[in-house]
Amino acid sequence: MHLFERARLSYDVDVLALLRSVWDEPRPSPVPARVWRDWVLVALLIPAAALEGVLRPDLPWRAYSVTVAIGLVPTLLWRRTRPLSMLTICFVATSLIPALLGGPSSDEYTAAYLLILPYALFRWGSGREAVIGFAVMLISVGVSTISAPGDLVGALAVMFATIGLGGAFRYRAGERMRELDQVKLLERERLARDLHDTVAHHVSAMAIRAQAGLATSASGPDAATEALRVIEAEASRALAEMRAMVRVLRRGQPADLTPGRGIGDLKELTRRSGSGPSVDVEVSGDLGDLSPAVGSAVYRLAQESVTNALRHARHATRVEIRVAADETSVHLRVSDDGDSGLIRPNASAGYGILGMIERADLLGGTCAAGPDPDGGWTVTAALPRTGPAT
């Protein structure tokens, strides 16, 4: 009996913890207010509801049903930002008022669009909004089926299907955000490693010059002075790199700056033989005094673009890498001649493309990727020569 009581107590605690976590669940972020599709949906539903009222003279409470179906259409515009309020308005108009007046609930086919409201509540609402809205929905179903108890099972099935759909899309979006967070953590780890290597390089140079200055100080005072100047310059560069990278880490932005790679390593991406498209590299402009972070980022952007082209470019025969520098920026363009006819223009970007865009943004630049009007896929990037501001 004692073990049974302990098990029941543990179960009660778990249930309370679960309910508390649901109640405290925040709203997903960001929540889109409204998009063009919402306005199109509203523009189509209003005449559809009016037309159904005209074509169905046997509709119970026809004037009220048509008025409600048209009047509730604007609630779709606020279904994401105020899901509980819009659901409550729907409950009052379609269930509570008809029940108080002794009439049937709305039987208009067009009113099926109201199922979007409970979906939006469980997709975009907070935990407490979902709990309160669920209670409102149960009351609404109960009130609506008082005069027709046989419809209760069907109404509950539709309600739970809508709730499940909203919850499934919410979970899917949350899972994608968690995957993106993991990608960002990996990028920050790589950034920390790059910061270590950059600072270690400058500190090693300072140590060597200091040793040389000590060794020659007795016979050549000028050599010691020159060593101090070199040490000062190296220390300034090390501090600038460290401050810039630490600022990036504090911003919580990702980066993929593999140590030891830079502009000079782009030639390694050249590919002349073997299966798949060839890869040509062309570098122009003065690239001698680039920030190590910028040089590494250009290489990584080019490498990621070439990898994507070799994997996904259909019927591609050539990939071109073009790097050009001016007084303030470095410009990268990677393009292939593959078949882009099956690429959806509005397809969501994969993690590789998102990483490239974030990497460029990290350094104060821009990056864009998409199908080229002339065919194939093109990635363009522009980065400031000095990297993130110090």
Side-chain angles (χ1 to χ4, degrees):
M1 187 63 177
H2 180 65
L3 292 177
F4 175 76
E5 290 294 335
R6 291 180 60 185
R8 185 175 65 82
L9 180 60
S10 176
Y11 174 78
D12 292 341
V13 171
D14 291 342
V15 171
L16 289 175
L18 176 61
L19 293 177
R20 189 178 296 109
S21 66
V22 172
W23 181 262
D24 295 334
E25 175 74 17
R27 303 191 67 188
S29 179
V31 178
R34 58 188 61 90
V35 296
W36 65 268
R37 293 186 298 273
D38 298 331
W39 297 103
V40 172
L41 184 61
V42 168
L44 293 176
L45 285 173
I46 291 178
L51 182 62
E52 183 180 356
V54 173
L55 298 179
R56 292 184 61 190
D58 60 333
L59 186 67
W61 286 38
R62 181 167 62 164
Y64 180 80
S65 297
V66 174
T67 302
V68 168
I70 295 176
L72 291 179
V73 168
T75 59
L76 299 179
L77 300 176
W78 287 274
R79 69 184 186 273
R80 301 187 189 92
T81 55
R82 300 179 180 271
L84 181 58
S85 300
M86 298 303 104
L87 184 71
T88 304
I89 293 173
C90 171
F91 159 68
V92 172
T94 60
S95 298
L96 187 58
I97 293 179
L100 294 176
L101 297 179
S105 58
S106 177
D107 193 30
E108 197 169 5
Y109 300 139
T110 312
Y113 74 83
L114 295 174
L115 292 174
I116 299 176
L117 296 179
Y119 164 83
L121 174 65
F122 284 85
R123 172 63 180 90
W124 301 107
S126 65
R128 62 189 63 194
E129 287 177 330
V131 171
I132 298 173
F134 181 71
V136 170
M137 293 170 63
L138 287 178
I139 297 173
S140 176
V141 169
V143 171
S144 301
T145 56
I146 289 177
S147 58
D151 296 338
L152 179 61
V153 175
L156 289 176
V158 173
M159 183 185 76
F160 282 108
T162 306
I163 292 174
L165 187 63
F169 275 90
R170 184 189 187 113
Y171 174 81
R172 179 182 178 186
E175 187 65 23
R176 177 173 173 82
M177 291 302 298
R178 284 188 289 271
E179 290 175 355
L180 288 175
D181 288 340
Q182 290 296 323
V183 172
K184 292 178 181 180
L185 286 174
L186 178 60
E187 299 293 351
R188 286 195 289 271
E189 179 184 346
R190 292 174 178 173
L191 174 59
R193 191 166 62 244
D194 183 71
L195 172 62
H196 167 270
D197 288 356
T198 300
V199 175
H201 167 75
H202 292 299
V203 172
S204 298
M206 287 187 288
I208 293 172
R209 296 299 299 186
Q211 293 169 358
L214 289 173
T216 58
S217 59
S219 58
D222 293 339
T225 302
E226 180 63 23
L228 289 174
R229 291 196 182 98
V230 173
I231 291 173
E232 179 186 13
E234 290 291 337
S236 298
R237 282 194 290 269
L239 284 174
E241 288 288 336
M242 185 169 60
R243 286 169 181 166
M245 294 303 171
V246 169
R247 178 174 285 107
V248 170
L249 284 174
R250 287 176 177 172
R251 285 172 51 199
Q253 297 290 335
D256 188 2
L257 309 175
T258 300
R261 296 292 186 176
I263 295 291
D265 299 300
L266 285 174
K267 293 298 182 180
E268 297 180 5
L269 301 177
T270 302
R271 177 188 174 110
R272 298 295 184 185
S273 60
S275 60
S278 61
V279 179
D280 297 322
V281 179
E282 180 181 318
V283 179
S284 60
D286 182 13
L287 300 169
D289 60 344
L290 287 183
S291 164
V294 174
S296 184
V298 171
Y299 174 84
R300 295 298 294 166
L301 291 173
Q303 183 188 47
E304 182 72 22
S305 301
V306 170
T307 300
N308 288 339
L310 295 178
R311 289 179 179 176
H312 306 298
R314 299 175 68 251
H315 310 305
T317 61
R318 185 183 71 259
V319 178
E320 296 180 349
I321 302 174
R322 300 291 181 262
V323 178
D326 54 33
E327 295 180 356
T328 60
S329 305
V330 180
H331 301 273
L332 170 70
R333 187 177 189 274
V334 182
S335 60
D336 63 68
D337 60 350
D339 182 8
S340 60
L342 298 179
I343 300 176
R344 294 182 299 168
N346 296 325
S348 57
Y351 294 129
I353 295 177
L354 290 175
M356 289 192 292
I357 294 173
E358 290 171 345
R359 202 173 301 145
D361 179 68
L362 158 72
L363 296 173
T366 59
C367 179
D372 195 291
D374 298 329
W377 185 272
T378 299
V379 175
T380 57
L383 304 176
R385 295 182 65 97
T386 57
T390 59

